[in-house]
Amino acid sequence: MTRYLLGLLLLAACTAKKDETVEIQTLEVSSPISLDTTIRQEFVADIHAVQNVEIRARVKGYLDRILVDEGKQVKKGQIMFTINSQEYVADLARAKAVLSQASAELKAEELTLVNTRLLVDKNVISKNQLAISLAKVDGLKAKREEALAHVSAAELKVEHSNIRAPFDGIVDRLPFKRGSLVDEGTLLTTLSDNQNVYAYFNVSEQEYLAFSEQGGVNKAASVDLVLANGEHYPQKGIVETIEGEFDKNTGNIAFRARFTNPTKLLRHGASGKVQLPKKVAGYWAIPQKSVFEIQEKSYVFVKDAAGIVKMKSIVPDLRIPHFYLVKTGFSAKDTVLIEGIQLVKQGQKIKSTFKPMRQLLTDYKAL
């Protein structure tokens, strides 16, 4: 029995040793190629309407009418809210009455002034009476100007009881309902002009310098916008301006890009990712599926002339769809394992078929 068990163990050991030397199925390999291309780097962006203003009550009173709805488009000059204006209409009528009285008093005193001049010219009364009459006219003119100012102020309050849209835009939330009492300065809603939007995004100093070397804002760099759902926004944007200084805490500087918004898809406060173009040269393209990690370091398998695979450490510098771009450590003579990295191990001999890296780039539409 003991001899039988020993024989089984020896047979199993021989079988395992034989399996280690057996070549696995044919795997695909390729040689890295050096690329000069333009990549698009992504930066998280906050989207703002070109105009986004708070609509506030300019007089106190009860909301008589709300003539707009949330999320609806309004035109410049359109009445959005009306505040009960009966009190202000009465104040206007009172101010106009005071103005009429002041005007009548002034007119009467001006007639008196004419008569006073005639009497002074005939030496009937002294010149002091003329001076007094002139002073009265000046005082009544000032009184009329004051009454006129009160009329203007009353007219403004009546006018401000109708709250109009300052520009074409989209209405935000309406926190108050009809009949609500609002004070002067109460926020009634927010209005956004979304015909064009700004996308603000932060860029590191290194990327800022690379952008400047490629012409910067002077060349009106075209950028793309990726929406929150991963879809590409159909309209191209333009980098218009860069802030004047770097943030001391983050080391970043803010860019502002403008996008047209003909369908009003983009709204104030939305988010997305701006793709900024960057020219790169002399980078080796390596498929992402060829790369594996061990203890936070990246490796690929490289096959030598005898068909033996060995691990090679790499440092991915940039990324394009399905590929890493590596600056150093490769040559066109290297042969990199493209598939089956889970099936092989260090020092194992493999059979392979060669596929040009340019063909892989075309298949994956990486460029």
Side-chain angles (χ1 to χ4, degrees):
M1 183 68 177
T2 302
R3 290 181 179 178
Y4 176 73
L5 291 175
L6 181 60
L8 288 176
L9 291 173
L10 289 172
L11 179 61
C14 291
T15 303
K17 185 174 182 180
K18 183 178 180 181
D19 289 342
E20 290 179 358
T21 62
V22 172
E23 295 178 352
I24 63 173
Q25 61 181 331
T26 301
L27 299 177
E28 196 173 79
V29 297
S30 185
S31 294
I33 60 173
S34 181
L35 291 179
D36 295 342
T37 186
T38 299
I39 65 172
R40 292 195 172 272
Q41 296 178 292
E42 288 190 346
F43 301 92
V44 176
D46 296 322
I47 297 172
H48 295 258
V50 171
Q51 292 188 89
N52 182 71
V53 300
E54 296 176 338
I55 306 298
R56 294 182 178 272
R58 301 184 68 175
V59 293
K60 181 179 180 179
Y62 290 96
L63 275 178
D64 263 354
R65 293 185 297 167
I66 300 176
L67 303 173
V68 294
D69 198 4
E70 297 171 344
K72 299 299 183 180
Q73 182 80 23
V74 296
K75 296 293 184 180
K76 181 179 179 180
Q78 178 180 337
I79 296 178
M80 303 174 66
F81 307 91
T82 62
I83 295 174
N84 189 288
S85 60
Q86 290 180 347
E87 179 181 349
Y88 303 117
V89 170
D91 289 341
L92 176 59
R94 189 179 304 112
K96 286 183 175 180
V98 172
L99 175 61
S100 297
Q101 181 179 357
S103 297
E105 290 176 355
L106 175 60
K107 187 174 182 180
E109 190 59 36
E110 286 175 339
L111 292 174
T112 301
L113 177 60
V114 171
N115 293 331
T116 302
R117 276 203 176 95
L118 291 174
L119 294 175
V120 170
D121 291 341
K122 295 179 180 180
N123 294 321
V124 176
I125 58 177
S126 67
K127 292 183 179 180
N128 289 337
Q129 295 295 323
L130 177 60
I132 293 172
S133 184
L134 286 170
K136 287 183 178 180
V137 169
D138 290 340
L140 289 173
K141 284 182 178 179
K143 185 177 179 180
R144 188 185 65 175
E145 292 297 324
E146 181 183 8
L148 187 61
H150 285 303
V151 170
S152 297
E155 287 176 340
L156 278 177
K157 287 188 175 181
V158 173
E159 182 181 344
H160 290 163
S161 64
N162 292 322
I163 301 168
R164 299 176 183 272
F167 50 79
D168 294 355
I170 296 175
V171 180
D172 197 15
R173 285 193 62 185
L174 302 173
F176 294 96
K177 305 302 178 185
R178 181 182 176 186
S180 299
L181 177 63
V182 296
D183 289 320
E184 182 179 349
T186 298
L187 177 63
L188 300 178
T189 190
T190 303
L191 188 64
S192 299
D193 177 7
N194 293 335
Q195 292 181 351
N196 294 280
V197 297
Y198 291 139
Y200 291 91
F201 57 101
N202 295 316
V203 173
S204 69
E205 186 172 359
Q206 181 180 0
E207 298 303 334
Y208 161 75
L209 293 174
F211 176 78
S212 299
E213 289 173 358
Q214 296 177 23
V217 175
N218 293 331
K219 283 198 172 182
S222 175
V223 296
D224 293 317
L225 179 64
V226 180
L227 304 178
N229 61 359
E231 297 292 331
H232 280 260
Y233 184 63
Q235 306 294 328
K236 294 283 187 179
I238 297 295
V239 176
E240 286 189 330
T241 186
I242 303 172
E243 281 192 356
E245 61 182 45
F246 286 89
D247 188 308
K248 294 181 180 179
N249 296 322
T250 64
N252 294 334
I253 192 168
F255 281 43
R256 189 187 79 192
R258 177 192 285 260
F259 290 86
T260 59
N261 190 25
T263 63
K264 305 298 187 296
L265 175 64
L266 301 179
R267 297 295 177 101
H268 179 81
S271 62
K273 293 180 180 179
V274 168
Q275 293 183 331
L276 190 67
K278 178 182 179 181
K279 294 180 180 179
V280 295
Y283 281 84
W284 297 98
I286 304 295
Q288 291 181 20
K289 68 178 183 178
S290 302
V291 181
F292 58 95
E293 291 187 357
I294 299 178
Q295 296 181 348
E296 298 183 355
K297 291 185 177 180
S298 298
Y299 296 88
V300 295
F301 280 119
V302 177
K303 183 178 78 72
D304 62 16
I308 305 300
V309 294
K310 296 179 181 180
M311 290 194 305
K312 183 182 183 71
S313 176
I314 68 169
V315 179
D317 295 292
L318 300 170
R319 179 183 301 196
I320 59 177
H322 305 290
F323 284 81
Y324 289 118
L325 298 182
V326 182
K327 188 66 175 176
T328 59
F330 284 98
S331 72
K333 296 180 180 180
D334 289 328
T335 303
V336 178
L337 182 63
I338 301 300
E339 61 179 5
I341 60 175
Q342 307 91 344
L343 305 176
V344 301
K345 54 187 176 181
Q346 177 82 349
Q348 189 170 0
K349 186 175 183 180
I350 65 169
K351 291 182 179 180
S352 62
T353 58
F354 184 84
K355 188 171 186 177
M357 190 66 70
R358 182 68 65 178
Q359 182 62 45
L360 290 170
L361 289 166
T362 302
D363 292 344
Y364 286 113
K365 299 179 180 179
L367 297 179

